Structures are given as C-alpha cells and as structure tokens.
C-alpha cells in the first residue's frame, strides 16, 4: 500500500465530511459528526517524511471508509 502524504490525508478528510481538531503535541484528532470514533492523525510523517507510516496508512484507509459510509448515510 502506497503511503499517503499528510496534506492529502487532510484533503480526504474534508471531502468525507470529517473535521480535524488540532491538539497539543504531535497528533490531531479526526472526527466525523455522525461517528463516535476518532482517529489520531500525526502532525508529521514517519521519520521526518511528509507521509504517513505504512501502519498508520492502513488504519487511515479503514477510518476513511467508515467516514465515507457515514457521509453516505446522512445524505
């Protein structure tokens, strides 16, 4: 699976109707209005790169699919 750039992940979240809550530290929380789950989005990539690590990329894809499903159910 190809790593996702952090800026692209932020764009995908916005398209899916999610919101990003900037927090203190190295992570922001991603939420969706119709979901109770949150996802910790790193402020920087793995080892200083601008991409999500492979494990976080996999988790992000799962959470993104849930956000798209939630968005489709609200429409």
């Amino acid at each position: 699976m190809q790593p996702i750039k952090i800026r692209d992940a932020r764009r995908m979240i916005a398209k899916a109707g999610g919101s990003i809550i900037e927090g203190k530290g190295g992570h922001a929380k991603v939420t969706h209005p119709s979901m109770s789950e949150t996802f910790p989005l790193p402020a920087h990539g793995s080892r200083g790169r601008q991409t999500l690590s492979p494990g976080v990329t996999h988790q992000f894809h799962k959470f993104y699919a849930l956000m798209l499903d939630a968005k489709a159910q609200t429409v």
Side-chain angles (χ1 to χ4, degrees):
M1 188 173 294
Q2 194 87 21
I4 298 174
K5 291 185 177 182
I6 294 173
R7 68 171 185 246
D8 293 338
R10 289 178 174 267
R11 288 181 190 144
M12 292 169 69
I13 291 164
K15 285 183 181 180
S19 59
I20 300 172
I21 302 168
E22 298 295 335
K24 296 178 184 174
H27 290 79
K29 288 184 181 179
V30 177
T31 63
H32 192 275
S34 61
M35 292 174 47
S36 62
E37 297 104 11
T38 61
F39 180 79
L41 184 66
H44 56 83
S46 63
R47 298 186 185 151
R49 291 182 226 131
Q50 295 300 314
T51 58
L52 298 175
S53 66
V56 176
T57 298
H58 180 71
Q59 291 174 348
F60 177 77
H61 279 295
K62 287 176 149 181
F63 191 78
Y64 181 65
L66 290 173
M67 285 195 305
L68 290 177
D69 288 342
K71 183 179 179 182
Q73 290 176 2
T74 60
V75 173

